[in-house]
Amino acid sequence: MAKTSTLDMLVDLARNDTDEAARQLAQLSKARHDAEQQLQALHSYRQDYAERLQRVSKSGLTASNYHNFRQFIATLDEAISQQNRILEQMDARLQKGRDSWQAEKRRLNSFETLQTRQLRQQAVHEARREQRMNDEISARGYRGMGH
């Protein structure tokens, strides 16, 4: 019985580790999604600002205002580049999270397979024990009938 309780404990620990890896993966996925939305917002903002520059340029624009527009667009371009780097880092973390979850899931599956085998073996052993007892009871009854 000690083997069963040890194996049960290992299954429970592996299940907890798998659940924790899944929670971490979900957090990483949400953070990655949020970063993607931020990047999309930066692209949209840059597009809007570039269009505004074009509209204002048609009606006349001072060199100073033109320079300010271009400088701000360059700042947005840098923010977009930085956000792209952040997304690359998040993609790497997300892949590590997936790998970790998959490793924990394989570990859990291995322990559950061992546990299932052990339970089957115990059931077979118990069935054999019951059959022996029934055979013994039948044999006693047969002998008791005077045969």
Side-chain angles (χ1 to χ4, degrees):
M1 198 65 168
K3 283 184 181 179
T4 300
S5 62
T6 300
L7 189 54
D8 289 344
M9 184 177 70
L10 290 173
V11 168
D12 287 343
L13 289 172
R15 189 170 288 126
N16 290 341
D17 290 346
T18 302
D19 291 347
E20 180 58 29
R23 277 189 292 278
Q24 288 176 0
L25 181 58
Q27 288 174 346
L28 289 169
S29 182
K30 183 188 179 323
R32 203 280 181 202
H33 176 74
D34 292 347
E36 177 70 30
Q37 286 184 322
Q38 289 173 353
L39 178 62
Q40 289 173 1
L42 285 169
H43 278 294
S44 177
Y45 193 47
R46 189 210 184 278
Q47 180 67 31
D48 290 346
Y49 218 80
E51 289 171 4
R52 187 182 305 167
L53 174 59
Q54 281 183 332
R55 281 193 308 273
V56 174
S57 293
K58 289 178 183 175
S59 62
L61 187 65
T62 66
S64 174
N65 283 344
Y66 179 78
H67 176 72
N68 288 340
F69 266 98
R70 293 302 307 156
Q71 192 171 8
F72 188 69
I73 290 173
T75 301
L76 287 173
D77 287 341
E78 179 54 37
I80 288 169
S81 290
Q82 184 178 1
Q83 194 66 21
N84 278 322
R85 287 190 296 274
I86 289 170
L87 275 174
E88 288 173 10
Q89 292 169 353
M90 294 186 109
D91 286 341
R93 283 190 214 129
L94 193 56
Q95 187 57 51
K96 283 183 183 178
R98 279 189 199 105
D99 293 346
S100 177
W101 175 79
Q102 288 171 345
E104 291 299 337
K105 186 68 176 154
R106 281 191 302 273
R107 183 172 162 253
L108 172 61
N109 289 343
S110 295
F111 285 135
E112 286 177 336
T113 298
L114 288 173
Q115 187 180 45
T116 300
R117 283 182 196 155
Q118 188 176 52
L119 290 172
R120 267 194 235 125
Q121 288 173 349
Q122 287 173 345
V124 167
H125 178 71
E126 183 64 25
R128 286 179 185 158
R129 190 177 69 77
E130 285 181 28
Q131 185 62 47
R132 279 193 303 265
M133 286 175 42
N134 288 338
D135 290 349
E136 190 175 307
I137 290 169
S138 293
R140 284 184 195 157
Y142 181 71
R143 279 183 255 150
M145 293 171 67
H147 296 294

